[in-house]
Amino acid sequence: MKKLVLLAAIAAASMSAQAYDVFIIGECNSWTLGDANYKMTDKGDGIFEWEGETLKSGFKFNDGTWDNNVFEGTEVVANIGSNGDPIELDTPYYATADGASGNIGFEGFTEVKNAKVVLDMNELTVTITGSAAGEPGWFLCGDFNNWANGDEAARLTAVEGKENVFEIKGVKFTLPVDENDAPKAEGTYKVAWTGWSIEYGAYAAPAEGEEAAGVTETLSASNLTANLVQGGNNAPYTVEGTFDVEVTITPSEEELVPGTCVIILTAAGSDAVEGIEAENAPVYYYNMQGVRVDNPTNGIYVKVVGEKAAKVLFNN
């Protein structure tokens, strides 16, 4: 019996001594896998630490891969993330470890200055100390800006006098490239709150026998308006160019019903669609909910011609 206990103790000691790497990955390093600057220091006994100038909202921990395998020598899945709540400074946060865990985010601020992060792999807790900074808000994130949630260049600002309407000027939509640096046919984007605690994206395909909750159209040269839904997948775009963006967010008043969002692109700097070179380009009209209208009547609509769009008033 003593021999068996001794062998078990040796095996346990061998497992606990097994070395493995832990990395922080997130908005702070543009989601770069295995970033040496965000590699945590193994302090022993399952405690890992990292100190840096800035930690941005929206991050998680892995082993330098997205394989979601366990950390070598442990039973912890190598994808440690949110438990569904925001993390508070100076307070142990009980994280989750599974392939579907979300990003850990802050509430009321966008980043921590002079941050120290302690990850306890035994209790699976995260503790952050430092100084809270930055104003939370809505951001337009996608392949065109490396999904930079929290980057001031991607921040949507409230439109004065319009409730739940936000805008951002001069967004350069570009298509992502493949491993050979050739442009792909399609990119994706979302409208999201700081730290990804709320996201608006594409309507999911309905289950068999169910009706679609809505339609998410691809932002393209012939369609510069799209409908989004809270909690949706990444939304598609094929358009390229520089655009002014207006977003109308309609939060849901019912807890179990997701909110919606309408995004409208307008060629940057243009207030009208006159003077378009493509004289034979098709003309489309959309109402302010993003629904295409064949015969607009009284009201304000978005007129799309080619790659340009502008609001127009019909007063029949």
Side-chain angles (χ1 to χ4, degrees):
M1 177 67 71
K2 288 184 178 179
K3 184 176 180 181
L4 290 175
V5 172
L6 178 61
L7 288 173
I10 292 174
S14 175
M15 178 174 289
S16 64
Q18 180 70 54
Y20 53 91
D21 294 330
V22 181
F23 296 87
I24 297 174
I25 185 167
E27 298 300 322
C28 47
N29 61 354
S30 299
W31 298 95
T32 302
L33 285 170
D35 188 343
N37 293 321
Y38 288 84
K39 181 179 179 180
M40 304 191 76
T41 301
D42 187 348
K43 307 297 287 188
D45 297 327
I47 306 299
F48 291 80
E49 293 184 359
W50 176 86
E51 295 185 50
E53 182 179 349
T54 303
L55 179 69
K56 293 185 177 182
S57 188
F59 63 92
K60 56 198 336 182
F61 306 88
N62 65 23
D63 60 354
T65 73
W66 286 122
D67 292 338
N68 297 325
N69 295 320
V70 297
F71 286 97
E72 188 174 0
T74 78
E75 296 181 355
V76 180
V77 174
N79 185 6
I80 299 173
S82 170
N83 62 22
D85 295 322
I87 191 170
E88 298 180 8
L89 294 183
D90 307 314
T91 303
Y93 177 88
Y94 287 88
T96 59
D98 61 62
S101 65
N103 306 326
I104 300 174
F106 308 133
E107 186 174 48
F109 55 97
T110 62
E111 59 189 28
V112 177
K113 297 292 188 182
N114 299 317
K116 180 179 179 180
V117 181
V118 179
L119 173 63
D120 184 338
M121 295 288 281
N122 305 297
E123 301 294 332
L124 208 61
T125 60
V126 182
T127 305
I128 301 176
T129 56
S131 301
E135 291 292 329
W138 293 107
F139 293 85
L140 179 65
C141 314
D143 290 322
F144 47 81
N145 65 356
N146 293 318
W147 294 91
N149 187 322
D151 186 343
E152 287 303 311
R155 182 187 290 273
L156 289 154
T157 58
V159 176
E160 187 175 356
K162 294 184 179 181
E163 186 177 5
N164 296 327
V165 179
F166 304 84
E167 66 181 4
I168 181 173
K169 302 287 188 181
V171 178
K172 186 176 182 180
F173 279 76
T174 57
L175 293 173
V177 297
D178 60 20
E179 61 276 8
N180 298 316
D181 290 330
K184 296 182 179 180
E186 183 178 280
T188 56
Y189 72 97
K190 278 186 174 181
V191 173
W193 187 255
T194 303
W196 301 96
S197 57
I198 307 174
E199 306 175 28
Y200 288 89
Y203 282 88
E208 186 175 353
E210 294 182 358
E211 295 184 4
V215 176
T216 300
E217 296 180 304
T218 300
L219 287 175
S220 64
S222 60
N223 175 40
L224 298 180
T225 301
N227 295 284
L228 306 178
V229 66
Q230 184 177 341
N233 301 319
N234 293 347
Y237 74 89
T238 60
V239 67
E240 289 192 284
T242 303
F243 298 90
D244 295 336
V245 181
E246 181 179 279
V247 173
T248 302
I249 297 172
T250 306
S252 175
E253 296 181 358
E254 300 180 40
E255 184 176 351
L256 299 179
V257 178
T260 58
C261 171
V262 177
I263 182 169
I264 300 173
L265 305 188
T266 305
S270 68
D271 295 319
V273 295
E274 282 74 38
I276 298 176
E277 294 180 6
E279 296 179 0
N280 296 322
V283 178
Y284 300 98
Y285 292 95
Y286 298 84
N287 63 22
M288 299 310 294
Q289 286 71 49
V291 178
R292 185 178 292 174
V293 178
D294 293 330
N295 298 300
T297 55
N298 292 337
I300 298 176
Y301 296 83
V302 177
K303 181 179 181 181
V304 179
V305 184
E307 293 189 2
K308 294 189 176 182
K311 291 181 182 178
V312 293
L313 174 65
F314 279 83
N315 189 12
N316 298 334

